[in-house]
Short mmCIF file of all heavy atoms in Angstrom, two decimals:
data_model
loop_
_atom_site.label_atom_id
_atom_site.label_comp_id
_atom_site.label_asym_id
_atom_site.label_seq_id
_atom_site.Cartn_x
_atom_site.Cartn_y
_atom_site.Cartn_z
N VAL T 239 -8.37 -109.24 -87.96
CA VAL T 239 -8.14 -110.68 -87.99
C VAL T 239 -9.27 -111.41 -87.28
O VAL T 239 -9.47 -111.23 -86.09
CB VAL T 239 -6.80 -111.03 -87.34
CG1 VAL T 239 -6.57 -112.52 -87.38
CG2 VAL T 239 -5.68 -110.31 -88.03
N ALA T 240 -10.00 -112.22 -88.01
CA ALA T 240 -10.99 -113.14 -87.43
C ALA T 240 -11.89 -112.45 -86.42
O ALA T 240 -12.20 -112.98 -85.38
CB ALA T 240 -10.27 -114.33 -86.77
N GLY T 241 -12.34 -111.25 -86.75
CA GLY T 241 -13.31 -110.58 -85.90
C GLY T 241 -12.74 -110.01 -84.63
O GLY T 241 -13.49 -109.62 -83.75
N CYS T 242 -11.45 -109.92 -84.49
CA CYS T 242 -10.89 -109.41 -83.23
C CYS T 242 -10.54 -107.94 -83.34
O CYS T 242 -9.88 -107.40 -82.48
CB CYS T 242 -9.66 -110.21 -82.81
SG CYS T 242 -8.18 -109.86 -83.76
N GLY T 243 -10.95 -107.28 -84.43
CA GLY T 243 -10.67 -105.86 -84.55
C GLY T 243 -9.27 -105.62 -85.03
O GLY T 243 -8.71 -106.39 -85.81
N ARG T 244 -8.68 -104.55 -84.57
CA ARG T 244 -7.35 -104.16 -85.02
C ARG T 244 -6.30 -104.95 -84.27
O ARG T 244 -5.67 -104.43 -83.34
CB ARG T 244 -7.18 -102.66 -84.82
CG ARG T 244 -8.17 -101.81 -85.62
CD ARG T 244 -8.24 -100.41 -85.06
NE ARG T 244 -8.67 -100.43 -83.67
CZ ARG T 244 -8.63 -99.36 -82.88
NH1 ARG T 244 -8.18 -98.23 -83.33
NH2 ARG T 244 -9.05 -99.44 -81.63
N ALA T 245 -6.10 -106.17 -84.66
CA ALA T 245 -5.16 -107.03 -83.95
C ALA T 245 -3.73 -106.57 -84.17
O ALA T 245 -3.38 -106.01 -85.21
CB ALA T 245 -5.31 -108.48 -84.41
N HIS T 246 -2.90 -106.81 -83.18
CA HIS T 246 -1.48 -106.46 -83.27
C HIS T 246 -0.74 -107.63 -83.91
O HIS T 246 -0.67 -108.72 -83.34
CB HIS T 246 -0.93 -106.17 -81.88
CG HIS T 246 0.54 -105.90 -81.86
ND1 HIS T 246 1.43 -106.69 -81.19
CD2 HIS T 246 1.27 -104.93 -82.46
CE1 HIS T 246 2.65 -106.21 -81.35
NE2 HIS T 246 2.58 -105.15 -82.11
N VAL T 247 -0.24 -107.40 -85.12
CA VAL T 247 0.46 -108.43 -85.89
C VAL T 247 1.83 -107.90 -86.26
O VAL T 247 1.98 -106.76 -86.70
CB VAL T 247 -0.33 -108.81 -87.16
CG1 VAL T 247 0.40 -109.91 -87.92
CG2 VAL T 247 -1.74 -109.24 -86.81
N VAL T 248 2.86 -108.72 -86.07
CA VAL T 248 4.23 -108.34 -86.39
C VAL T 248 4.74 -109.27 -87.49
O VAL T 248 4.68 -110.50 -87.34
CB VAL T 248 5.14 -108.45 -85.15
CG1 VAL T 248 6.58 -108.09 -85.50
CG2 VAL T 248 4.63 -107.53 -84.04
N VAL T 249 5.22 -108.69 -88.58
CA VAL T 249 5.73 -109.45 -89.72
C VAL T 249 7.21 -109.13 -89.87
O VAL T 249 7.61 -107.97 -89.86
CB VAL T 249 4.97 -109.10 -91.01
CG1 VAL T 249 5.48 -109.96 -92.17
CG2 VAL T 249 3.48 -109.28 -90.83
N GLN T 250 8.02 -110.17 -90.07
CA GLN T 250 9.47 -110.00 -90.09
C GLN T 250 10.08 -110.96 -91.10
O GLN T 250 9.75 -112.15 -91.12
CB GLN T 250 10.03 -110.27 -88.69
CG GLN T 250 11.49 -110.00 -88.50
CD GLN T 250 11.91 -110.17 -87.06
OE1 GLN T 250 11.09 -110.43 -86.19
NE2 GLN T 250 13.20 -110.02 -86.80
N GLY T 251 10.97 -110.48 -91.97
CA GLY T 251 11.68 -111.33 -92.91
C GLY T 251 10.88 -111.62 -94.17
O GLY T 251 9.79 -111.11 -94.39
N ALA T 252 11.44 -112.48 -95.02
CA ALA T 252 10.82 -112.87 -96.29
C ALA T 252 11.14 -114.34 -96.56
O ALA T 252 12.20 -114.84 -96.18
CB ALA T 252 11.33 -111.99 -97.43
N GLY T 253 10.20 -115.01 -97.24
CA GLY T 253 10.37 -116.42 -97.55
C GLY T 253 9.15 -117.22 -97.15
O GLY T 253 8.04 -116.66 -97.01
N PRO T 254 9.29 -118.54 -96.98
CA PRO T 254 8.16 -119.36 -96.53
C PRO T 254 7.59 -118.85 -95.20
O PRO T 254 8.33 -118.41 -94.32
CB PRO T 254 8.78 -120.76 -96.38
CG PRO T 254 9.99 -120.73 -97.25
CD PRO T 254 10.51 -119.34 -97.22
N ALA T 255 6.28 -118.92 -95.07
CA ALA T 255 5.62 -118.34 -93.90
C ALA T 255 5.79 -119.21 -92.67
O ALA T 255 5.62 -120.44 -92.71
CB ALA T 255 4.13 -118.14 -94.19
N VAL T 256 6.13 -118.56 -91.56
CA VAL T 256 6.17 -119.20 -90.25
C VAL T 256 5.25 -118.40 -89.33
O VAL T 256 5.45 -117.21 -89.13
CB VAL T 256 7.60 -119.22 -89.66
CG1 VAL T 256 7.58 -119.80 -88.25
CG2 VAL T 256 8.53 -120.01 -90.56
N LEU T 257 4.25 -119.05 -88.79
CA LEU T 257 3.28 -118.40 -87.91
C LEU T 257 3.52 -118.87 -86.48
O LEU T 257 3.58 -120.07 -86.21
CB LEU T 257 1.85 -118.75 -88.35
CG LEU T 257 0.71 -118.18 -87.52
CD1 LEU T 257 0.76 -116.67 -87.47
CD2 LEU T 257 -0.63 -118.66 -88.07
N ILE T 258 3.69 -117.91 -85.56
CA ILE T 258 3.97 -118.22 -84.16
C ILE T 258 2.80 -117.78 -83.30
O ILE T 258 2.35 -116.64 -83.40
CB ILE T 258 5.26 -117.51 -83.68
CG1 ILE T 258 6.46 -117.97 -84.51
CG2 ILE T 258 5.50 -117.76 -82.21
CD1 ILE T 258 7.75 -117.25 -84.15
N THR T 259 2.29 -118.69 -82.49
CA THR T 259 1.21 -118.35 -81.56
C THR T 259 1.68 -118.64 -80.14
O THR T 259 2.17 -119.73 -79.83
CB THR T 259 -0.07 -119.14 -81.89
OG1 THR T 259 -1.07 -118.87 -80.89
CG2 THR T 259 0.17 -120.64 -81.98
N ALA T 260 1.56 -117.63 -79.27
CA ALA T 260 2.10 -117.71 -77.91
C ALA T 260 1.17 -118.50 -77.00
O ALA T 260 0.00 -118.74 -77.30
CB ALA T 260 2.31 -116.31 -77.36
N GLY T 261 1.71 -118.90 -75.84
CA GLY T 261 0.93 -119.65 -74.87
C GLY T 261 0.02 -118.75 -74.05
O GLY T 261 -0.24 -117.59 -74.39
N LEU T 262 -0.47 -119.29 -72.95
CA LEU T 262 -1.40 -118.58 -72.09
C LEU T 262 -0.82 -117.24 -71.65
O LEU T 262 0.27 -117.17 -71.08
CB LEU T 262 -1.72 -119.43 -70.85
CG LEU T 262 -2.66 -118.83 -69.81
CD1 LEU T 262 -4.06 -118.70 -70.39
CD2 LEU T 262 -2.68 -119.67 -68.55
N ALA T 263 -1.53 -116.15 -71.95
CA ALA T 263 -1.16 -114.79 -71.57
C ALA T 263 0.14 -114.34 -72.20
O ALA T 263 0.74 -113.37 -71.75
CB ALA T 263 -1.07 -114.66 -70.05
N GLY T 264 0.60 -115.02 -73.25
CA GLY T 264 1.86 -114.66 -73.88
C GLY T 264 1.74 -113.45 -74.78
O GLY T 264 0.64 -113.07 -75.21
N ALA T 265 2.88 -112.83 -75.09
CA ALA T 265 2.93 -111.66 -75.96
C ALA T 265 3.93 -111.90 -77.07
O ALA T 265 4.76 -112.81 -77.01
CB ALA T 265 3.32 -110.41 -75.15
N TRP T 266 3.86 -111.05 -78.09
CA TRP T 266 4.71 -111.23 -79.27
C TRP T 266 6.19 -111.15 -78.93
O TRP T 266 7.01 -111.86 -79.54
CB TRP T 266 4.35 -110.16 -80.31
CG TRP T 266 5.08 -108.88 -80.14
CD1 TRP T 266 6.19 -108.49 -80.82
CD2 TRP T 266 4.80 -107.83 -79.20
NE1 TRP T 266 6.62 -107.25 -80.37
CE2 TRP T 266 5.79 -106.83 -79.38
CE3 TRP T 266 3.82 -107.64 -78.24
CZ2 TRP T 266 5.81 -105.66 -78.63
CZ3 TRP T 266 3.84 -106.48 -77.49
CH2 TRP T 266 4.81 -105.51 -77.68
N PHE T 267 6.58 -110.30 -77.98
CA PHE T 267 8.01 -110.08 -77.75
C PHE T 267 8.68 -111.26 -77.06
O PHE T 267 9.91 -111.33 -77.02
CB PHE T 267 8.24 -108.79 -76.96
CG PHE T 267 7.63 -108.78 -75.58
CD1 PHE T 267 8.25 -109.39 -74.51
CD2 PHE T 267 6.42 -108.13 -75.35
CE1 PHE T 267 7.69 -109.37 -73.25
CE2 PHE T 267 5.85 -108.09 -74.09
CZ PHE T 267 6.48 -108.72 -73.03
N HIS T 268 7.90 -112.19 -76.52
CA HIS T 268 8.50 -113.39 -75.95
C HIS T 268 9.19 -114.24 -77.01
O HIS T 268 10.01 -115.10 -76.67
CB HIS T 268 7.43 -114.23 -75.25
CG HIS T 268 6.86 -113.58 -74.02
ND1 HIS T 268 5.55 -113.71 -73.65
CD2 HIS T 268 7.45 -112.80 -73.08
CE1 HIS T 268 5.35 -113.04 -72.53
NE2 HIS T 268 6.48 -112.48 -72.17
N TRP T 269 8.86 -113.99 -78.28
CA TRP T 269 9.40 -114.79 -79.37
C TRP T 269 10.42 -114.02 -80.21
O TRP T 269 10.73 -114.41 -81.33
CB TRP T 269 8.26 -115.27 -80.26
CG TRP T 269 7.35 -116.22 -79.55
CD1 TRP T 269 6.26 -115.91 -78.79
CD2 TRP T 269 7.47 -117.64 -79.50
NE1 TRP T 269 5.69 -117.04 -78.28
CE2 TRP T 269 6.40 -118.12 -78.69
CE3 TRP T 269 8.36 -118.56 -80.05
CZ2 TRP T 269 6.22 -119.47 -78.42
CZ3 TRP T 269 8.17 -119.91 -79.80
CH2 TRP T 269 7.12 -120.35 -78.99
N ASP T 270 10.93 -112.92 -79.67
CA ASP T 270 11.91 -112.12 -80.42
C ASP T 270 13.13 -112.96 -80.84
O ASP T 270 13.60 -112.87 -81.98
CB ASP T 270 12.37 -110.93 -79.58
CG ASP T 270 11.37 -109.78 -79.60
OD1 ASP T 270 10.45 -109.83 -80.43
OD2 ASP T 270 11.51 -108.85 -78.79
N ALA T 271 13.66 -113.75 -79.91
CA ALA T 271 14.88 -114.51 -80.20
C ALA T 271 14.62 -115.58 -81.27
O ALA T 271 15.44 -115.79 -82.17
CB ALA T 271 15.41 -115.16 -78.92
N VAL T 272 13.48 -116.25 -81.19
CA VAL T 272 13.15 -117.27 -82.19
C VAL T 272 12.93 -116.62 -83.55
O VAL T 272 13.42 -117.08 -84.59
CB VAL T 272 11.91 -118.07 -81.76
CG1 VAL T 272 11.49 -119.05 -82.85
CG2 VAL T 272 12.18 -118.82 -80.46
N ALA T 273 12.18 -115.51 -83.56
CA ALA T 273 11.89 -114.83 -84.82
C ALA T 273 13.16 -114.31 -85.48
O ALA T 273 13.31 -114.38 -86.70
CB ALA T 273 10.91 -113.69 -84.57
N ALA T 274 14.08 -113.81 -84.67
CA ALA T 274 15.33 -113.29 -85.24
C ALA T 274 16.12 -114.38 -85.93
O ALA T 274 16.78 -114.13 -86.95
CB ALA T 274 16.16 -112.65 -84.13
N ARG T 275 16.07 -115.61 -85.42
CA ARG T 275 16.81 -116.72 -86.02
C ARG T 275 16.12 -117.24 -87.28
O ARG T 275 16.78 -117.83 -88.14
CB ARG T 275 16.96 -117.83 -85.00
CG ARG T 275 17.98 -117.52 -83.90
CD ARG T 275 17.87 -118.46 -82.73
NE ARG T 275 18.99 -118.32 -81.79
CZ ARG T 275 19.09 -117.34 -80.91
NH1 ARG T 275 18.14 -116.41 -80.85
NH2 ARG T 275 20.13 -117.28 -80.10
N LEU T 276 14.82 -117.05 -87.39
CA LEU T 276 14.08 -117.55 -88.55
C LEU T 276 13.92 -116.52 -89.66
O LEU T 276 13.70 -116.88 -90.81
CB LEU T 276 12.69 -118.03 -88.12
CG LEU T 276 12.63 -119.28 -87.25
CD1 LEU T 276 11.22 -119.51 -86.73
CD2 LEU T 276 13.11 -120.50 -88.05
N ALA T 277 14.02 -115.23 -89.31
CA ALA T 277 13.70 -114.18 -90.28
C ALA T 277 14.68 -114.12 -91.44
O ALA T 277 14.36 -113.53 -92.47
CB ALA T 277 13.65 -112.83 -89.56
N GLY T 278 15.88 -114.72 -91.29
CA GLY T 278 16.84 -114.69 -92.39
C GLY T 278 16.35 -115.42 -93.62
O GLY T 278 16.72 -115.05 -94.74
N GLY T 279 15.53 -116.45 -93.46
CA GLY T 279 15.05 -117.20 -94.62
C GLY T 279 13.57 -117.46 -94.62
O GLY T 279 13.08 -118.22 -95.46
N HIS T 280 12.84 -116.85 -93.70
CA HIS T 280 11.39 -117.07 -93.61
C HIS T 280 10.66 -115.76 -93.36
O HIS T 280 11.24 -114.77 -92.90
CB HIS T 280 11.06 -118.04 -92.48
CG HIS T 280 11.62 -119.42 -92.66
ND1 HIS T 280 12.93 -119.73 -92.38
CD2 HIS T 280 11.05 -120.57 -93.11
CE1 HIS T 280 13.15 -121.01 -92.65
NE2 HIS T 280 12.03 -121.55 -93.08
N ARG T 281 9.39 -115.78 -93.66
CA ARG T 281 8.49 -114.67 -93.32
C ARG T 281 7.82 -115.04 -92.00
O ARG T 281 6.93 -115.88 -91.96
CB ARG T 281 7.46 -114.47 -94.42
CG ARG T 281 6.54 -113.29 -94.23
CD ARG T 281 5.59 -113.17 -95.42
NE ARG T 281 4.69 -112.06 -95.29
CZ ARG T 281 4.99 -110.79 -95.58
NH1 ARG T 281 6.22 -110.50 -95.99
NH2 ARG T 281 4.09 -109.85 -95.46
N VAL T 282 8.28 -114.44 -90.93
CA VAL T 282 7.82 -114.78 -89.58
C VAL T 282 6.67 -113.87 -89.19
O VAL T 282 6.80 -112.63 -89.22
CB VAL T 282 8.96 -114.68 -88.56
CG1 VAL T 282 8.49 -115.13 -87.19
CG2 VAL T 282 10.17 -115.50 -89.02
N ILE T 283 5.57 -114.48 -88.80
CA ILE T 283 4.36 -113.74 -88.41
C ILE T 283 4.08 -114.03 -86.95
O ILE T 283 3.94 -115.19 -86.55
CB ILE T 283 3.15 -114.16 -89.27
CG1 ILE T 283 3.47 -114.00 -90.76
CG2 ILE T 283 1.92 -113.34 -88.89
CD1 ILE T 283 2.45 -114.66 -91.66
N ARG T 284 4.04 -112.97 -86.16
CA ARG T 284 3.65 -113.09 -84.75
C ARG T 284 2.44 -112.20 -84.51
O ARG T 284 2.27 -111.19 -85.19
CB ARG T 284 4.79 -112.67 -83.84
CG ARG T 284 5.98 -113.62 -83.84
CD ARG T 284 7.12 -113.05 -83.01
NE ARG T 284 7.85 -112.02 -83.73
CZ ARG T 284 8.66 -111.14 -83.15
NH1 ARG T 284 8.79 -111.12 -81.83
NH2 ARG T 284 9.31 -110.25 -83.86
N PHE T 285 1.64 -112.54 -83.52
CA PHE T 285 0.44 -111.75 -83.24
C PHE T 285 0.08 -111.88 -81.77
O PHE T 285 0.55 -112.78 -81.07
CB PHE T 285 -0.73 -112.22 -84.12
CG PHE T 285 -1.24 -113.59 -83.78
CD1 PHE T 285 -2.38 -113.75 -82.99
CD2 PHE T 285 -0.58 -114.73 -84.21
CE1 PHE T 285 -2.84 -115.02 -82.67
CE2 PHE T 285 -1.04 -115.99 -83.91
CZ PHE T 285 -2.18 -116.14 -83.12
N ASP T 286 -0.73 -110.95 -81.32
CA ASP T 286 -1.27 -110.99 -79.96
C ASP T 286 -2.76 -111.31 -80.04
O ASP T 286 -3.50 -110.65 -80.79
CB ASP T 286 -1.07 -109.65 -79.26
CG ASP T 286 0.39 -109.34 -78.98
OD1 ASP T 286 1.12 -110.29 -78.62
OD2 ASP T 286 0.79 -108.18 -79.12
N ARG T 287 -3.18 -112.30 -79.27
CA ARG T 287 -4.61 -112.60 -79.21
C ARG T 287 -5.36 -111.44 -78.55
O ARG T 287 -4.77 -110.60 -77.88
CB ARG T 287 -4.84 -113.91 -78.47
CG ARG T 287 -4.35 -115.13 -79.24
CD ARG T 287 -4.80 -116.43 -78.57
NE ARG T 287 -4.17 -116.61 -77.28
CZ ARG T 287 -2.97 -117.13 -77.08
NH1 ARG T 287 -2.24 -117.51 -78.12
NH2 ARG T 287 -2.46 -117.27 -75.87
N PRO T 288 -6.68 -111.38 -78.72
CA PRO T 288 -7.46 -110.25 -78.18
C PRO T 288 -7.20 -110.01 -76.70
O PRO T 288 -7.26 -110.92 -75.88
CB PRO T 288 -8.91 -110.68 -78.42
CG PRO T 288 -8.83 -111.54 -79.64
CD PRO T 288 -7.53 -112.30 -79.52
N GLY T 289 -6.90 -108.75 -76.38
CA GLY T 289 -6.67 -108.35 -75.00
C GLY T 289 -5.23 -108.53 -74.54
O GLY T 289 -4.83 -107.93 -73.54
N LEU T 290 -4.45 -109.32 -75.25
CA LEU T 290 -3.06 -109.58 -74.86
C LEU T 290 -2.11 -108.70 -75.67
O LEU T 290 -2.45 -108.25 -76.77
CB LEU T 290 -2.70 -111.05 -75.05
CG LEU T 290 -3.53 -112.05 -74.23
CD1 LEU T 290 -3.16 -113.48 -74.62
CD2 LEU T 290 -3.32 -111.83 -72.74
N GLY T 291 -0.91 -108.51 -75.14
CA GLY T 291 0.07 -107.71 -75.85
C GLY T 291 -0.47 -106.34 -76.17
O GLY T 291 -0.90 -105.60 -75.28
N LEU T 292 -0.48 -106.00 -77.45
CA LEU T 292 -0.99 -104.70 -77.89
C LEU T 292 -2.30 -104.82 -78.66
O LEU T 292 -2.72 -103.86 -79.31
CB LEU T 292 0.06 -104.01 -78.76
CG LEU T 292 1.37 -103.65 -78.06
CD1 LEU T 292 2.35 -103.03 -79.04
CD2 LEU T 292 1.11 -102.71 -76.90
N SER T 293 -2.96 -105.97 -78.60
CA SER T 293 -4.25 -106.13 -79.27
C SER T 293 -5.38 -105.68 -78.35
O SER T 293 -5.33 -105.92 -77.14
CB SER T 293 -4.47 -107.60 -79.66
OG SER T 293 -3.64 -107.97 -80.73
N PRO T 294 -6.42 -105.05 -78.90
CA PRO T 294 -7.56 -104.64 -78.07
C PRO T 294 -8.38 -105.84 -77.64
O PRO T 294 -8.20 -106.96 -78.15
CB PRO T 294 -8.36 -103.74 -79.01
CG PRO T 294 -8.01 -104.22 -80.38
CD PRO T 294 -6.58 -104.67 -80.31
N CYS T 295 -9.27 -105.59 -76.70
CA CYS T 295 -10.11 -106.68 -76.18
C CYS T 295 -11.13 -107.13 -77.21
O CYS T 295 -11.49 -106.40 -78.13
CB CYS T 295 -10.83 -106.22 -74.91
SG CYS T 295 -9.75 -105.73 -73.57
N ALA T 296 -11.62 -108.35 -77.04
CA ALA T 296 -12.71 -108.88 -77.84
C ALA T 296 -13.98 -108.92 -77.00
O ALA T 296 -13.92 -109.11 -75.79
CB ALA T 296 -12.37 -110.29 -78.35
N PRO T 297 -15.15 -108.73 -77.62
CA PRO T 297 -16.40 -108.72 -76.84
C PRO T 297 -16.88 -110.10 -76.43
O PRO T 297 -17.84 -110.21 -75.66
CB PRO T 297 -17.40 -108.07 -77.81
CG PRO T 297 -16.87 -108.41 -79.17
CD PRO T 297 -15.37 -108.43 -79.04
N VAL T 298 -16.24 -111.17 -76.92
CA VAL T 298 -16.68 -112.53 -76.61
C VAL T 298 -15.52 -113.31 -76.00
O VAL T 298 -14.35 -113.01 -76.26
CB VAL T 298 -17.19 -113.25 -77.88
CG1 VAL T 298 -18.45 -112.59 -78.39
CG2 VAL T 298 -16.12 -113.27 -78.97
N PRO T 299 -15.81 -114.32 -75.18
CA PRO T 299 -14.74 -115.13 -74.58
C PRO T 299 -14.00 -115.93 -75.65
O PRO T 299 -14.55 -116.24 -76.71
CB PRO T 299 -15.50 -116.06 -73.61
CG PRO T 299 -16.84 -115.44 -73.42
CD PRO T 299 -17.15 -114.71 -74.68
N PRO T 300 -12.76 -116.31 -75.40
CA PRO T 300 -12.01 -117.11 -76.37
C PRO T 300 -12.55 -118.53 -76.46
O PRO T 300 -13.02 -119.10 -75.46
CB PRO T 300 -10.59 -117.09 -75.81
CG PRO T 300 -10.75 -116.84 -74.35
CD PRO T 300 -11.96 -115.97 -74.21
N THR T 301 -12.49 -119.10 -77.66
CA THR T 301 -12.90 -120.48 -77.90
C THR T 301 -11.87 -121.16 -78.78
O THR T 301 -11.09 -120.50 -79.48
CB THR T 301 -14.28 -120.56 -78.58
OG1 THR T 301 -14.19 -119.95 -79.89
CG2 THR T 301 -15.35 -119.84 -77.76
N LEU T 302 -11.89 -122.47 -78.79
CA LEU T 302 -10.95 -123.22 -79.62
C LEU T 302 -11.15 -122.92 -81.09
O LEU T 302 -10.20 -122.65 -81.83
CB LEU T 302 -11.10 -124.72 -79.35
CG LEU T 302 -10.15 -125.62 -80.14
CD1 LEU T 302 -8.72 -125.46 -79.65
CD2 LEU T 302 -10.59 -127.08 -80.04
N TYR T 303 -12.42 -122.93 -81.53
CA TYR T 303 -12.68 -122.72 -82.95
C TYR T 303 -12.44 -121.27 -83.36
O TYR T 303 -12.07 -120.99 -84.50
CB TYR T 303 -14.11 -123.14 -83.27
CG TYR T 303 -14.32 -124.63 -83.12
CD1 TYR T 303 -14.94 -125.15 -81.99
CD2 TYR T 303 -13.86 -125.52 -84.09
CE1 TYR T 303 -15.11 -126.52 -81.84
CE2 TYR T 303 -14.03 -126.89 -83.95
CZ TYR T 303 -14.65 -127.39 -82.82
OH TYR T 303 -14.81 -128.75 -82.67
N GLY T 304 -12.63 -120.35 -82.42
CA GLY T 304 -12.29 -118.96 -82.72
C GLY T 304 -10.80 -118.77 -82.93
O GLY T 304 -10.37 -118.03 -83.83
N GLU T 305 -9.98 -119.46 -82.13
CA GLU T 305 -8.53 -119.36 -82.31
C GLU T 305 -8.08 -120.06 -83.58
O GLU T 305 -7.13 -119.62 -84.23
CB GLU T 305 -7.82 -119.95 -81.09
CG GLU T 305 -8.11 -119.23 -79.79
CD GLU T 305 -7.87 -117.74 -79.88
OE1 GLU T 305 -6.92 -117.33 -80.57
OE2 GLU T 305 -8.65 -116.98 -79.27
N VAL T 306 -8.75 -121.14 -83.95
CA VAL T 306 -8.44 -121.80 -85.22
C VAL T 306 -8.73 -120.85 -86.38
O VAL T 306 -7.94 -120.75 -87.34
CB VAL T 306 -9.25 -123.11 -85.36
CG1 VAL T 306 -9.12 -123.66 -86.78
CG2 VAL T 306 -8.76 -124.14 -84.35
#
Side-chain angles (χ1 to χ4, degrees):
V239 180
C242 75
R244 298 162 301 170
H246 176 242
V247 182
V248 178
V249 183
Q250 186 174 356
V256 176
L257 179 58
I258 299 177
T259 175
L262 179 67
W266 87 98
F267 62 81
H268 292 145
W269 294 88
D270 280 348
V272 175
R275 286 165 170 78
L276 291 171
H280 297 80
R281 184 178 180 81
V282 184
I283 305 168
R284 291 174 282 162
F285 68 99
D286 292 321
R287 291 189 294 276
L290 299 175
L292 296 177
S293 288
C295 299
V298 294
T301 64
L302 181 70
Y303 293 101
E305 298 308 323
V306 170

